[in-house]
Amino acid sequence: MAATKPFEHKQMIERYLTAFNEQDVDALPEVVTEDVLVQGLIGADGDVNGIEEYEAWWRETLSGLPDARIEIDDYFESGDRAAARWTFTGTHERALLEIPATDRAFEITGFALFRIEDGKIAEKRYQQDDLGMLQQLGVIEES
């Protein structure tokens, strides 16, 4: 078994998050595979398959949250897998997921499990506090 360097995928994942934070959709081909599989995205009707579908999701989401930002709180990797717990913030300034702008800010936490293939993200599985985000935006009442 070949030895791996500690956190050999972290720089690429940080590049991916920088692209998201800077709304640089054109950087996606640098960090995800053509056939990327993404699960658990808010507003997605099931799995997102391929870079074209993922790019469309990015464009729609970022258009509604022009100051969207993700910061890594914890990070771990082993072999071709990496995991990150993060904080996601933003302000709902434009329509998003058919929800009119609320001009309210949110801060939620989430988790992603990545599978890396040839130095790019081939799979990404999300779990995040979508309910908390919708409550903070005033779309769903807190109980």
Side-chain angles (χ1 to χ4, degrees):
M1 182 165 89
T4 59
K5 297 180 276 181
F7 299 142
E8 71 179 280
H9 307 305
K10 190 172 184 186
Q11 184 176 13
M12 182 273 304
I13 290 172
E14 288 173 339
R15 171 65 183 115
Y16 165 83
L17 291 175
T18 297
F20 185 86
N21 292 341
E22 294 177 356
Q23 300 203 11
D24 183 6
V25 180
D26 294 334
L28 270 176
E30 297 172 27
V31 292
V32 302
T33 61
E34 284 292 319
D35 61 347
V36 65
L37 169 65
V38 186
Q39 296 178 324
L41 294 173
I42 188 169
D45 187 20
D47 295 349
V48 171
N49 292 289
I51 196 169
E52 290 179 10
E53 283 185 27
Y54 197 33
E55 179 181 323
W57 181 88
W58 263 44
R59 288 188 190 283
E60 180 179 350
T61 300
L62 292 173
S63 72
L65 306 169
D67 65 345
R69 184 155 196 84
I70 296 175
E71 296 292 331
I72 293 176
D73 299 319
D74 288 309
Y75 179 84
F76 173 81
E77 71 178 58
S78 179
D80 69 346
R81 305 289 171 154
R85 185 180 61 82
W86 73 84
T87 300
F88 181 20
T89 60
T91 308
H92 184 207
E93 295 181 14
R94 298 184 193 106
L96 173 66
L97 310 172
E98 301 180 12
I99 302 168
T102 63
D103 293 318
R104 293 174 81 172
F106 68 90
E107 179 176 307
I108 61 172
T109 57
F111 176 84
L113 177 63
F114 303 88
R115 184 177 63 79
I116 310 302
E117 183 178 287
D118 297 325
K120 296 182 179 184
I121 298 167
E123 290 181 33
K124 186 172 184 196
R125 300 174 194 275
Y126 279 104
Q127 289 286 322
Q128 65 184 22
D129 186 11
D130 294 334
L131 176 60
M133 180 178 79
L134 295 171
Q135 288 172 329
Q136 289 174 55
L137 297 179
V139 176
I140 294 176
E141 287 187 35
E142 295 186 44
S143 53

